[in-house]
Amino acid sequence: MPKTAKPKKPVDVADLTKAQAKVEWKRLALELETHDRLYYQDDAPKISDADYDELRRRFNAIETRFPELVSSESPSQKVGAAPSGRFRKVRHAVPMLSLDNAFAEEDVRDFAGRIARFLKLADDERIDFSAEPKIDGLSMSLRYEGGELVTAATRGDGTEGEDVTANIRTLKDVPQKLHGRNLPDICEVRGEVYMTKQAFLALNERQKEAGDTIFANPRNSAAGSLRQKDPTITASRPLGFFAYAWGEMSGMPAETQSGMIKWFEHCGFTTNPLTRLCHSVEELIAFHRSIEEQRSELDYDIDGVVYKVDRIDWQERLGFVSRTPRWGIAHKFPAERAMTVLKDIEIQVGRTGSFTPVGKLEPVGVGGVIVQNVTLHNEDYIKGIGNKGEVLREGRDIRVGDTVVIQRAGDVIPQVVDVLIDKRPADAVEFHFPKTCPCPLHTDVVREEIATGEEGSRARCTGEFACPYQRIEHLKLFASRRAFDIDGLGEKQIQFFFDQGWVKEPADIFTLAARNRELRLEEVEGYGETSVRNLFNAIDARREIALERFIFALGMRHVGETTALALARGYGSWDAFHDACLKVAKGDEEAIAEMDALDQIGDTVIKSIAAYFGEDHNLGIVERLTKEVKIQDAEKPKRNSPIATKTVVFTGTLEKMTRDEAKATAERLGAKVSGSVSKKTDYVVAGPGAGSKLKDAQKHGVQVLTEDEWLQLIAE
Ligand code: IVH
């Protein structure tokens, strides 16, 4: 038998001489350039991803060992210049919103029912849906102008994302240039970037060997790979992209969602092969079942399926309710569960002093993720009692040593859903909830009062700003991505500055640089001249901040990002907001009523704002901070709409639109739609059959419009 020649094993990069390296570098550079062209421009790769990756890896290894070989001609430089520092922010031409969730079949039926009612469809009119797997990755918006990829942006907060164009150009599923003719001049193609499960496991192996970050799941590793400052690293991590939606389009190439998906394919994108057109709710539910059955065999993570009304003209009519469309829904899969042993219970003190008992587990894999911690919520939950006193787990309190069933659903923190009493060891230890805070002050713990005035289940430290746990948690929130977003000032750094006594309150962050003559941060281990300079630059870059971020960053209880945005939009400027808060804290009824009239603001928020601004210590914190930063005025949306800020009531039968449609349009134009007429109402739009509301309008002297008059008013 003739001997087959074994392929020659290449010399280890570590053993290459400089001359050998130079020759191989040149050869690989040419080879990579050819493959890049085949891949990006012609979309006709001639080698497998794995072979390409291998070439890239070896090429990078040579450049790492012999950096003098790197030139501007090198393929490692051509994917785009590495963005310096942080990624540039990109404002989405059309916001990137999210989907509402359905869990039960009933929710899907309700969804279809709502659509039929909204569109006033006849009973026998069929609604076609595009049914697609819900990929558990990162959504991405790709902007093409004149057919060329110009920007790739992450979702970010939906309004503004990060520019990751250089990195996205390394994905083979993303064409640099759209294929086909008669392309709309502007095309924003949206979809999901993901990493296959196999690639994720292989990457983690490599990371482990190199002592680098281990990723929790494919979604995190895809995110980590995309956020690389160096596109060659992204290029070395195999990421995929499925196109499924669009943003701004200067022309529409199709009339349906399924037509758009076909068009994406013509343009050179990959779309998910499991996507189907369904003609009834029954078909949707069968689709859900079939995808769930295939879920574990798929090489990418999915967390449900998505249904979208196929007709785009209907999608347009249906529009959005706050941040989610009426025309689409995510039908999630039930949470994944696993069994493990609870080894300990620790108490975490949050920013507002609330206690969260955290269960420490024997590590266990759930849905591809290793889980070591579970939230145990509160004292009652551990005892097996619900927040209204109802029995959650009859006779099954949670004890250290117990075998517990844990559940993980999407990004939600894992939870204990059951305790297996049969497996309880004799030495299992009952947990005694602490009566004092673990902070050095050992302040008393109280159970928080709930809306009804009764004792709630959440325990809180009464130390407020005297409790170091609360102060540090607030500082962490303050510097975090969602608030001041200070690069290089993560939780670890905040903890360090706090422990040193260098940063005790937010304003101290902004005076760090001025105090550095004495502090000498560059002499601290882990910091050098450059990183200190970068940190101070990053802090300086945040001296100007949007009002909503500033309000959120104050860390008031019950004032999350959405509430902060509502407040910012309501008051427009920091001075107006601050003024109002001081009045609210003093019990000024007019100021309270004004705040109460704002969309999404109610009693709980007002009480919390009053408590915050009623406290001298907080006023000091705010005053010192506002000296350091410039707070931008909030964008007052839809100022030029004739009905902006007006209150409208619809009554009677509307003939040209459904009630829901009328409400949605009014809200889109900045009006508030109310169900009852008062002296605060600006317009009552009355159709045939209007009754008591019409009388109320006359009583309060409110202007009454016919449907046509209304349409004329909003058309102006
Ligand atoms: S359509 C208006 N289709 O799910 C939102 N989203 O909760 C339009 N996702 O942010 C999104 N697969 O990251 C859509 N086939 C699919 C999807 C999908 C995954 C993600 C996406 C989005 C989130 C919505």
Side-chain angles (χ1 to χ4, degrees), residues 416-430:
V416 169
V417 286
D418 209 352
V419 182
L420 305 178
I421 293 292
D422 294 350
K423 293 187 184 282
R424 175 171 284 170
D427 59 354
V429 186
E430 211 174 315

Side-chain angles (χ1 to χ4, degrees), residues 5-19:
K6 267 196 183 163
K8 217 169 111 200
K9 199 169 173 282
V11 183
D12 258 1
V13 172
D15 298 329
L16 286 176
T17 64
K18 193 166 170 193

Side-chain angles (χ1 to χ4, degrees), residues 4 27 30 86 117 181 210 286 316 371 442 543 550 563 593 609 673 693 706:
T4 41
R27 183 178 62 75
L30 279 173
R86 60 181 31 251
R117 276 197 306 281
R181 291 187 202 143
E316 279 163 1
V371 175
H442 298 302
R543 280 188 193 266
F550 186 85
T563 308
I609 291 179
V673 178
K693 288 183 192 160
T706 63

Side-chain angles (χ1 to χ4, degrees), residues 111-129 279 309-311 313-315 317-318 658 661:
F111 161 69
R114 276 196 304 274
I115 292 169
R117 276 197 306 281
F118 190 99
L119 296 171
K120 274 205 167 150
L121 299 184
D123 287 347
D124 57 355
E125 196 152 4
R126 201 179 74 189
I127 311 174
D128 288 342
F129 292 96
H279 310 290
V309 170
D310 199 41
R311 275 179 59 168
D313 59 336
W314 282 0
Q315 287 192 3
R317 278 180 62 194
L318 286 158
T658 63
E661 211 169 345

